[in-house]
Amino acid sequence: MNTQKVVFLNKKLGTRMAGLLRIPTDFNLSRNYPAIVVTGPMLSIKEQAQSVYAERLTEAGYVTLVFDGTTTGESEGQPRGLELPDMKEDDIESAVDYLESLPYVDKDRIGGLGICGSGSYMSVAGVKDARLKAITAIVPAISDISKSPMMGFFKPEEEVIAAKKAYEEGKGDLQYLNFMPRNFDEGAAYYYTSRGNRRGYSSLVVSWSQLELQLELVKYNVPEIMKDMTKPYLVVTAENAWSKPASEEVFNAVPEGDKTMVVIPEAGHFDMYDLDPYVAEAFTSILPFFKRTLGTVE
């Protein structure tokens, strides 16, 4: 395959975004290709889990795009390390904008695949953006944030509000939360080893991001949004994933129709980022799903 560094614009935020565009080996400019936007876990960068999935999809004939989210990795945006659902939606929409601009991409055959936190973000994008024709969510982890292990990373709300106010008034430095401390054994086994340790990755998120994340049930209620999902939808979770309850809640909120949930036996949440046989087993469902919903190269 051909992997190209690309830059595209988040029009709503005015930020330039860094991406990796992958094109199949037998690329023919005269043909029309289906394309898939692939997004990764919270705070992740384009070289991590999302590229594992993008490479396999491109090997199967799809044009794929991964990118660093606004304020993350090589993309623009300040302050660095914000994790805001609305911003993530804008990023996904901007990625679709970019794919639509490519003359060899079939605008009617663009899909999305999201992993972990962006499994939920991508699911919501599938409801809101008519241009996305089919969605796959891998261990989607955001439903009711109050029940998530991430709550253990949060600081007292009044402390975070005070820190945000002080920073905005120029009276204090940025404060961060560590979303992947080394004592979180399962996550550390990915992020702090050769599996997922990549230059440019940081586990630090601006502390007031939690104010938005804690409002999920009010402002960004994923199950409530998913009640309006009408597109083909595939959820792949893992038998031993800490995120499995959230994945099931998001999936069950989708009306009956073209929806499928697959549970990978013996796998844990982070196993689904990059480890075989678990990822390979997931692709026995992912590829038939996208072949049926987006087709193949024409």
Side-chain angles (χ1 to χ4, degrees), residues 101-112:
S101 74
L102 301 176
Y104 50 83
V105 166
D106 187 335
K107 297 177 179 58
D108 294 323
R109 294 192 294 151
I110 297 176

Side-chain angles (χ1 to χ4, degrees), residues 12-192:
K12 289 185 180 179
L13 301 176
T15 53
R16 293 183 181 183
M17 302 184 62
L20 293 175
L21 182 72
R22 290 182 169 89
I23 298 172
T25 300
D26 58 353
F27 176 75
N28 185 327
L29 190 60
S30 65
R31 306 179 79 178
N32 295 319
Y33 288 80
I36 301 172
V37 179
V38 185
T39 54
M42 285 184 173
L43 298 176
S44 67
I45 57 175
K46 58 188 178 299
E47 292 85 2
Q48 292 176 312
Q50 46 269 62
S51 276
V52 173
Y53 281 76
E55 286 177 1
R56 294 192 185 220
L57 288 166
T58 300
E59 287 171 356
Y62 297 93
V63 172
T64 61
L65 177 65
V66 300
F67 57 87
D68 293 334
T70 298
T71 79
T72 303
E74 296 180 294
S75 292
E76 292 182 336
Q78 296 290 337
R80 306 301 290 169
L82 279 173
E83 182 70 30
L84 306 178
D86 288 348
M87 186 172 70
K88 297 299 182 182
E89 283 185 41
D90 292 341
D91 287 346
I92 292 171
E93 291 178 6
S94 300
V96 176
D97 289 342
Y98 176 72
L99 287 175
E100 281 194 322
S101 74
L102 301 176
Y104 50 83
V105 166
D106 187 335
K107 297 177 179 58
D108 294 323
R109 294 192 294 151
I110 297 176
L113 183 149
I115 305 162
C116 187
S118 81
S120 297
Y121 298 146
M122 185 63 76
S123 297
V124 170
V127 173
K128 296 185 176 182
D129 193 330
R131 299 171 299 173
L132 289 167
K133 305 303 182 184
I135 301 295
T136 292
I138 310 296
V139 290
I142 297 176
S143 178
D144 181 349
I145 209 75
S146 69
K147 299 176 184 177
S148 168
M150 286 188 295
M151 287 297 293
F153 308 149
F154 289 168
K155 294 181 178 181
E157 185 173 330
E158 60 274 12
E159 180 181 334
V160 173
I161 292 173
K164 182 175 187 290
K165 184 173 185 293
Y167 175 77
E168 291 175 342
E169 293 176 351
K171 300 176 181 178
D173 296 328
L174 279 172
Q175 289 191 14
Y176 288 92
L177 310 174
N178 190 348
F179 264 21
M180 197 53 58
R182 289 182 182 271
N183 61 3
F184 185 18
D185 292 344
E186 187 184 352
Y190 175 77
Y191 284 104
Y192 297 112

Side-chain angles (χ1 to χ4, degrees), residues 66 75 77 85 126 167 188 208 225 239 243 249 277-278 296:
V66 300
S75 292
Y167 175 77
W208 63 76
I225 295 170
E239 181 180 12
S243 58
E249 187 173 1
Y278 312 117
T296 56

